Amino acid sequence: MSDTVFMRRALELARRAGTEGEVPVGAVVVLDGRIVGEGWNRPISASDATSHAETEAIRAACHAQANYRLTGATLYVTLEPCAMCVGAMFHARVARVVFGAPDPKTGAAGSVINLFAETRLNHHATFEGGVLAEDCGALLREFFGARRQR
């Protein structure tokens, strides 16, 4: 399957987050061509600042694989990951990260900082941004636009 197929699933999960009143970000972890973990933003409903879409998807994938390592996995997320989430990806040994929209405020894949390029860290992953970026960005703009109108 292509990157856009998996990103479309991440967008579905992002929409779920939005309907639950969370910032609409979704993520999936893919291993050997199949989704092994899914997540969406849940910090408000979970009362947990670490419940970002990426960490939720990583947790689900690790449980499904019965392994805290996701060697060879690709993580798809609708918004450029933050430093915390990149750290979780590195600890889980995710091989590749694909994101949709850039995050100019907290993005850790080049927008604010690029942790993927930090040679002093013990793990590295490849990353690609901009997959379905317009769709991912539009979902976020609509969400925050509606909140500003309240």
Side-chain angles (χ1 to χ4, degrees):
M1 285 196 210
S2 71
D3 288 346
T4 56
V5 170
F6 293 119
M7 189 61 77
R8 287 192 199 293
R9 176 61 184 152
L11 271 165
E12 290 174 13
L13 296 167
R15 286 184 193 94
R16 178 174 179 174
T19 63
E20 293 177 4
E22 304 277 2
V23 174
V25 178
V28 297
V29 175
V30 175
L31 189 61
D32 298 326
R34 65 181 180 87
I35 295 174
V36 295
E38 297 184 332
W40 56 93
N41 267 6
R42 300 186 60 249
I44 298 167
S45 60
S47 299
D48 182 350
T50 69
S51 289
H52 289 194
E54 300 96 321
T55 58
E56 293 290 311
I58 288 169
R59 285 182 190 118
C62 288
H63 287 291
Q65 298 301 301
N67 193 339
Y68 74 110
R69 299 285 199 221
L70 299 171
T71 305
T74 299
L75 188 144
Y76 295 84
V77 60
T78 57
L79 181 64
E80 179 181 358
C82 71
M84 175 187 72
C85 291
V86 172
M89 293 170 201
F90 285 0
H91 283 286
R93 300 300 192 258
V94 169
R96 182 172 175 249
V97 177
V98 178
F99 67 88
D103 185 347
K105 295 187 179 189
T106 64
S111 289
V112 175
I113 188 171
N114 188 349
L115 291 178
F116 292 96
E118 179 53 63
T119 58
R120 294 173 292 179
L121 296 173
N122 69 330
H123 177 72
H124 293 90
T126 61
F127 75 95
E128 177 182 349
V131 175
L132 298 181
E134 185 52 41
D135 294 343
C136 295
L139 185 60
L140 289 159
R141 286 189 299 277
E142 290 167 13
F143 176 82
F144 286 112
R147 290 186 102 185
R148 283 190 290 277
Q149 291 178 352
R150 289 184 193 169

